[in-house]
Amino acid sequence: MTATVTRTKPFFRADHVGSLLRPAEVFAAREAFARREIDAARLRAVEDAAIREVVAGQERAGLHVVTDGEFRRENWYADFIGRLGGVEIREAQQNPAFDHDASSTVHYVPKNVVTVAPLRRPEPILVRDFAFLAATTERTAKITIPSPSRLHFHGGRAVVSSDVYPDIEAFFDDVVRAYRAEIADLEAAGCRYIQIDDPLFSYFISERMRAEVVANGERPEDRLLRYVRLINDCIAERRPDTAVGIHVCRGNARSAWIAEGGYERIAEPLFGSLQNDHYLLEYDDDRSGDFAPLRFMPKDKRVVLGLVTSKYGKLEERGTLVRRVEEATKYVALDHLAISPQCGFASVVEGNIITPEDQWAKLRLVVETAREIWPDA
């Protein structure tokens, strides 16, 4: 298979979702900081050194897009959302919706995000991190941000103060203002590839997770469309040369998962209505379903197929990956496809149950497979 593509925005045949396993020195520094044995400046210096090395590792693997591994974060969303004014992140209580796998030794329940005061963005959140990352490489630096839906999904109306926001639409308006300001500041700093992580879209596939929405007094179909509109509003003022990728998975903390099922149930409203540039979609096993829902993908959208799992170390066969990409071309033109791991390697700070050696082998496999399919990769 060969292909060419005219790129006016960042799009890479070999991509990755962003988070990478933290090295031991980062863990040690975080623990020392928590014990107040080192200050924030010393912690950041350790993170800086680790990020320089992980960027070099991505370059050695052959990737043309790099991230900071999310080394400065506790998990994929909390460090961003926790810096928004008016928001509290509270310890979660047990939720039966997450007790889906009795055989699993990993049990992860998301924390609660509660808006208790007017939501605002008092200062840029990721601009400093992006500037450091961009200065370490000549390749494209990607920033990942959590979806605004994470401010609302777990609890709905109940996690947004009715005293502060008697009209829930006023809350969503403030969310949009905060995200637009962050995107504008990232663009001003030179960022042209922003990835929005939204595993919550997959919750609308799962009967267990849909039941949580129903318990909040809403129709899942209505809330899904409201989140699509929310993201569209957040990205509406981006520059014409800024690419926005939407990543959708089914949970990834410590190699565990939350939702299951193919994209069919959400494909038409999701793929047909979001105004992003491309998707990074989980497709590493049968739990993600087949490629048929991609028939709803608009012709101008691109898709990064997450064919390589980040959950365990066994390395996929390159020939199998090539065949799966070919299967996907029944629904999306080869020019508009790429490949990646299905999710990050460390959505939470502890990381997935996988070794660093396996992580790098999988990233090299993604690059090698992309070069076989797309010689210009």
Side-chain angles (χ1 to χ4, degrees):
M1 292 183 288
T2 60
T4 58
V5 63
T6 300
R7 297 177 184 145
T8 57
K9 299 182 179 184
F11 180 72
F12 300 91
R13 299 302 191 186
D15 207 334
H16 63 116
V17 172
S19 64
L20 298 165
L21 296 173
R22 277 68 157 178
E25 56 268 28
V26 170
F27 282 115
R30 290 178 67 92
E31 291 173 357
F33 178 73
R35 295 191 300 266
R36 298 184 179 180
E37 295 172 358
I38 64 173
D39 60 15
R42 176 56 187 159
L43 172 61
R44 191 169 185 91
V46 173
E47 293 168 344
D48 287 351
I51 289 167
R52 290 189 188 96
E53 178 54 36
V54 85
V55 167
Q58 292 168 77
E59 293 174 343
R60 288 193 297 269
L63 292 161
H64 294 289
V65 55
V66 302
T67 73
D68 62 6
E70 300 181 7
F71 281 4
R72 304 190 199 277
R73 305 187 195 184
E74 175 188 343
N75 67 27
W76 66 277
Y77 76 87
D79 302 83
F80 182 94
I81 287 177
R83 288 177 61 184
L84 293 171
V87 174
E88 293 181 358
I89 298 179
R90 301 173 179 172
E91 290 299 322
Q93 298 178 345
Q94 193 63 32
N95 184 333
F98 296 96
D99 293 336
H100 60 275
D101 185 0
S103 65
S104 176
T105 58
V106 177
H107 297 282
Y108 176 77
V109 180
K111 294 181 180 180
N112 293 322
V113 177
V114 184
T115 300
V116 298
L119 189 143
R120 65 195 188 283
R121 188 194 70 132
E123 61 182 0
I125 299 172
L126 294 174
V127 171
R128 183 185 179 194
D129 294 349
F130 169 78
F132 179 84
L133 172 63
T136 68
T137 183
E138 294 183 357
R139 303 188 186 184
T140 297
K142 173 168 71 171
I143 278 291
T144 64
I145 62 176
S147 172
S149 62
R150 188 61 183 83
L151 285 153
H152 182 266
F153 183 90
H154 294 295
R157 170 76 264 193
V159 295
V160 179
S161 169
S162 295
D163 292 333
V164 177
Y165 290 108
D167 178 0
I168 193 65
E169 290 304 314
F171 162 76
F172 287 129
D173 289 344
D174 281 351
V175 173
V176 170
R177 274 189 283 271
Y179 271 74
R180 284 184 178 180
E182 182 69 15
I183 290 170
D185 283 343
L186 284 167
E187 289 178 323
C191 184
R192 294 295 178 268
Y193 186 180
I194 297 171
Q195 176 183 299
I196 297 176
D197 293 323
D198 202 321
L200 303 175
F201 276 136
S202 72
Y203 292 2
F204 293 94
I205 295 169
S206 166
E207 287 295 340
R208 290 178 295 98
M209 304 308 297
R210 289 169 68 90
E212 182 175 339
V213 179
V214 173
N216 297 153
E218 297 181 57
R219 295 177 68 248
E221 295 79 9
D222 294 340
R223 191 187 283 190
L224 172 62
L225 291 175
R226 186 63 189 87
Y227 288 169
V228 167
R229 182 156 58 94
L230 175 62
I231 290 179
N232 283 343
D233 289 344
C234 288
I235 66 177
E237 295 184 350
R238 71 187 185 279
R239 290 171 50 118
D241 57 346
T242 297
V244 172
I246 304 290
H247 167 59
V248 183
C249 73
R250 292 159 180 76
N252 190 53
R254 301 292 288 137
S255 297
W257 52 271
I258 293 174
E260 68 287 325
Y263 294 95
E264 188 72 26
R265 198 170 201 173
I266 64 172
E268 189 168 11
L270 188 66
F271 301 153
S273 299
L274 273 173
Q275 300 302 308
N276 59 311
D277 300 290
H278 63 267
Y279 294 87
L280 300 98
L281 299 178
E282 182 177 53
Y283 263 120
D284 62 324
D285 61 21
D286 292 342
R287 199 165 42 82
S288 301
D290 59 23
F291 295 127
L294 296 181
R295 69 188 184 278
F296 292 107
M297 193 67 63
K299 300 301 183 185
D300 62 340
K301 294 287 179 67
R302 293 169 176 162
V303 180
V304 183
L305 300 171
L307 302 177
V308 174
T309 191
S310 67
K311 294 184 182 300
Y312 57 83
K314 183 179 179 181
L315 198 62
E316 291 79 357
E317 295 183 359
R318 192 192 308 178
T320 300
L321 301 179
V322 172
R323 287 192 295 275
R324 294 203 69 199
V325 172
E326 189 168 15
E327 290 172 14
T329 62
K330 297 175 183 177
Y331 307 101
V332 178
L334 185 61
D335 264 6
H336 283 198
L337 291 175
I339 63 171
S340 74
Q342 118 281 348
C343 197
F345 291 91
S347 299
V348 296
V349 68
E350 295 85 356
N352 282 356
I353 304 172
I354 189 171
T355 68
E357 293 76 17
D358 290 334
Q359 168 186 268
W360 293 114
K362 283 175 178 283
L363 289 174
R364 288 193 298 270
L365 176 64
V366 166
V367 171
E368 292 163 1
T369 305
R371 288 173 178 167
E372 179 173 340
I373 298 171
W374 301 279
D376 65 336

